[in-house]
Amino acid sequence: QVQLVESGGGLVQAGGSLRLSCAASVRTFSSYVMAWFRQAPGKEGEFVAGISGNGGLLYHADSVKGRFTISRDNAKNTVYLQMNSLKSEDTAVYYCGAATDWLVVATHREYRYWGQGTQVTVSS
């Protein structure tokens, strides 16, 4: 069983930055692929970024590439999403998920464990 708790969301002006955190309560954190997804009102969930268990592989969606960076600290059982140059279209609830297969990192249904989400609102 993996429990995930996100934090760090909030209200920020366009062009600003936020850093999201996702703390996991599991002994084998480094064995999990971790990712961030987001869902805006009235829209389908969207993959944002993923990172392999040892942090050696990263994958960012085109919509955030160059602005967002995913990272992890396995000693702290935590994955991060640094979000810079935020835009109004980044407004969404952001969720972190844990999966076991890097090959399907961007596939929502492959994630067995999810956090409760954290709201990010970007004002223009």
Side-chain angles (χ1 to χ4, degrees), residues 7-106:
S7 61
L11 174 64
V12 63
Q13 288 188 334
S17 299
L18 282 174
R19 188 175 82 152
L20 305 183
S21 299
C22 173
S25 60
V26 63
R27 290 184 179 181
T28 57
F29 180 66
S30 61
S31 67
Y32 288 91
V33 172
M34 299 298 296
W36 289 94
F37 288 76
R38 65 187 181 186
Q39 186 161 20
K43 296 186 178 180
E44 293 186 357
E46 176 189 17
F47 169 80
V48 176
I51 187 167
S52 62
N54 64 5
L57 298 174
L58 307 179
Y59 180 44
H60 295 82
D62 288 343
S63 59
V64 305
K65 199 170 294 182
R67 300 188 299 122
F68 292 10
T69 303
I70 190 170
S71 63
R72 68 190 295 161
D73 185 339
N74 286 344
K76 295 182 178 180
N77 278 18
T78 302
V79 62
Y80 305 97
L81 185 68
Q82 179 66 45
M83 305 187 295
N84 299 327
S85 301
L86 282 160
K87 306 175 181 179
S88 57
E89 51 263 45
D90 295 318
T91 294
V93 177
Y94 284 70
Y95 299 90
C96 69
T100 56
D101 188 353
W102 174 253
L103 295 180
V104 291
V105 60

Side-chain angles (χ1 to χ4, degrees), residues 37 98-99 104-114:
F37 288 76
V104 291
V105 60
T107 305
H108 184 277
R109 66 177 180 273
E110 295 294 332
Y111 285 77
R112 181 176 179 183
Y113 303 105
W114 293 97

